[in-house]
Amino acid sequence: MARVAIVTGGTRGIGEAISLALQEKGVIVAANYGGNDDAAKAFTDRTGIKAFKWDVGDFDACQAGVAQVEAELGPVDIVVNNAGITRDGTILKMTRDMWEDVIRINLGGCFNMAHATFPGMRNRKWGRIVNIGSINGQAGQYGQVNYAAAKSGIHGFTKALAQEGARAGVTVNAIAPGYIDTDMVAAVPAEVLEKIVAKIPVGRLGQASEIARGVTFLCSEEGGFVTGSTLSINGGQHMY
């Protein structure tokens, strides 16, 4: 019987690539999204993957969203915590709301989704949780104390939860992407992007599909001996 996966932020960018890669592996995918109804509808029309709307930063909404997915598609075996936002600014300009919004969604979403799905995975003795961190959570980044803190927290969260799931057949891993050719990166001014690429040893931006291939391995049967790990996919920009 096919596994069921939830990919948060799964209708655009890296999330869309992950949703499609898992679908190609025979996984039944539910793509969560937070706000863009038109993009979600276009995604479903294009891919046939159902999209489910809820705020991953809301604990109760995650409980209800997972229950809806399980009622429609079956027990959730795989969770990819990809949803994230940025609210950049130096600490002198960063408001408390900018800090809390990023922590609530980027890090809190991992907790909320794991809390809603981990018990079922443990009871069935099989599960895969993959949390999408960031090179900026490893190395830091100017003007991103909120984002870097949240992503760094994801790496610690991953290692701790992996210890809770290991004996029950539930693996928990993270992927730390570098700079990937998505709409978010495309919005960076050309002169800034040129400087970013100059610092990447392989000489180019990454592709969303390259992150997705890492996710599919960690979610596979063959990935069962990998847990508590962070896979850096950054073209050599930060060797951690």
Side-chain angles (χ1 to χ4, degrees), residues 108-138:
C110 291
F111 171 81
N112 294 339
M113 289 301 300
H115 199 281
T117 57
F118 187 81
M121 294 178 184
R122 186 181 57 185
N123 291 340
R124 294 188 297 274
K125 304 297 183 185
W126 199 97
R128 300 286 187 264
I129 297 175
V130 179
N131 304 311
I132 305 301
S134 171
I135 186 174
N136 292 345
Q138 297 172 316

Side-chain angles (χ1 to χ4, degrees), residues 3 5 22 27 78-80 126 128-130 171 214-223:
R3 303 285 187 189
L22 288 171
V27 176
I78 298 166
V79 172
V80 182
W126 199 97
R128 300 286 187 264
I129 297 175
V130 179
T171 68
V215 172
T216 58
F217 168 70
L218 293 173
C219 292
S220 69
E221 296 287 348
E222 293 80 4

Side-chain angles (χ1 to χ4, degrees), residues 46-119:
R46 186 172 65 253
T47 66
I49 296 173
K50 287 189 175 183
F52 296 81
K53 184 179 183 179
W54 72 82
D55 176 5
V56 298
D58 183 322
F59 181 87
D60 292 335
C62 288
Q63 296 286 330
V66 169
Q68 181 185 359
V69 170
E70 293 195 325
E72 294 188 25
L73 303 180
V76 174
D77 302 300
I78 298 166
V79 172
V80 182
N81 287 309
N82 167 74
I85 63 169
T86 56
R87 298 286 186 269
D88 294 350
T90 62
I91 199 164
L92 296 177
K93 297 180 179 179
M94 186 174 291
T95 66
R96 183 72 189 188
D97 285 346
M98 292 166 69
W99 168 267
E100 290 186 351
D101 285 349
V102 170
I103 299 296
R104 182 181 72 85
I105 292 174
N106 296 19
L107 181 56
C110 291
F111 171 81
N112 294 339
M113 289 301 300
H115 199 281
T117 57
F118 187 81

